[in-house]
Amino acid sequence: GIQNPIGVKVGPTMQPDELVALIQRLWPDPEADPGKITLITRFGATKVRDHLPQLISAVQAANLPVVWCCDPCHGNTTTSSSGLKTRRFDSILAEVRETFAVHQENGSFMGGVHFELTGENVTECTGGPHDLTDTDLPVNYTSYCDPRINY
C-alpha cells in the first residue's frame, strides 16, 4: 500500500459504503498507523447536513481513525454575472460552522480546515469585511484557477 499520508476529497456524491471501502483499500492496517487518512469534505454550505452525518456514522462504525478536514471553498464556487469564478465569504463561513456543528452532534472531531487564501490584496470573493459585490471582482482579480480569500 501507499506509505505516505493520504488526503481524500469527499463531496456530496460520495456514498458512505464507497467511502469506507476506499479507506479500507488505501489503508489496510489503520490500527498500526492512525491518522494516515485525512478526509477533506467539500460539500457546499447548504449540503453539509444532508451528507456529512451519514459519512461520519459509516466511518465510525468501521472503526477508522481518520482525520476530518473541511474545505469550505470548493463546494461554494459560483460564477459571477461577469463570468468570473467566485465564492461568497458568508457561504464559506457557513460551511465551516455547519461542519463543526455536525461533527460535534455526531461525536466526531473536525481536525482541520483548508482555505484558498492569499496575502495579496485581491478581489476574487464576494462579501467579507468590505462587502465586495460581483462588480468589484474585476478590480484586482488575478487568479488563474480558483478564487482566493485575502486577509
Side-chain angles (χ1 to χ4, degrees):
I2 300 171
Q3 298 302 311
N4 294 341
I6 301 169
V8 177
K9 296 175 184 179
V10 179
T13 61
M14 178 67 77
Q15 297 301 310
D17 58 332
E18 292 173 322
L19 180 59
V20 168
L22 176 61
I23 295 168
Q24 290 171 334
R25 179 162 191 150
L26 293 171
W27 196 18
D29 191 7
E31 289 183 23
D33 197 11
K36 176 179 179 152
I37 300 281
T38 298
L39 299 179
I40 307 162
T41 60
R42 42 197 285 166
F43 298 112
T46 62
K47 297 179 182 176
V48 172
R49 286 202 175 271
D50 293 337
H51 300 282
L52 185 56
Q54 299 89 331
L55 297 173
I56 291 172
S57 179
V59 169
Q60 288 172 332
N63 292 314
L64 298 167
V66 301
V67 174
W68 291 93
C69 180
C70 174
D71 170 354
C73 293
H74 285 89
N76 292 297
T77 303
T78 61
T79 303
S80 71
S81 55
S82 64
L84 291 170
K85 282 173 58 175
T86 189
R87 297 171 174 139
R88 180 101 183 115
F89 182 79
D90 290 345
S91 298
I92 293 168
L93 186 56
E95 182 158 351
V96 172
R97 287 181 171 152
E98 278 295 290
T99 302
F100 268 119
V102 168
H103 276 286
Q104 185 174 23
E105 292 162 11
N106 288 275
S108 183
F109 178 79
M110 186 171 80
V113 180
H114 165 80
F115 292 109
E116 296 285 332
L117 185 66
T118 181
E120 298 172 14
N121 188 22
V122 297
T123 56
E124 298 172 358
C125 293
T126 58
H130 298 288
D131 200 26
L132 298 177
T133 65
D134 281 4
T135 58
D136 296 311
L137 294 175
V139 172
N140 197 24
Y141 194 103
T142 62
S143 177
Y144 291 106
C145 184
D146 289 326
R148 302 159 296 168
I149 303 168
N150 64 334
Y151 57 92

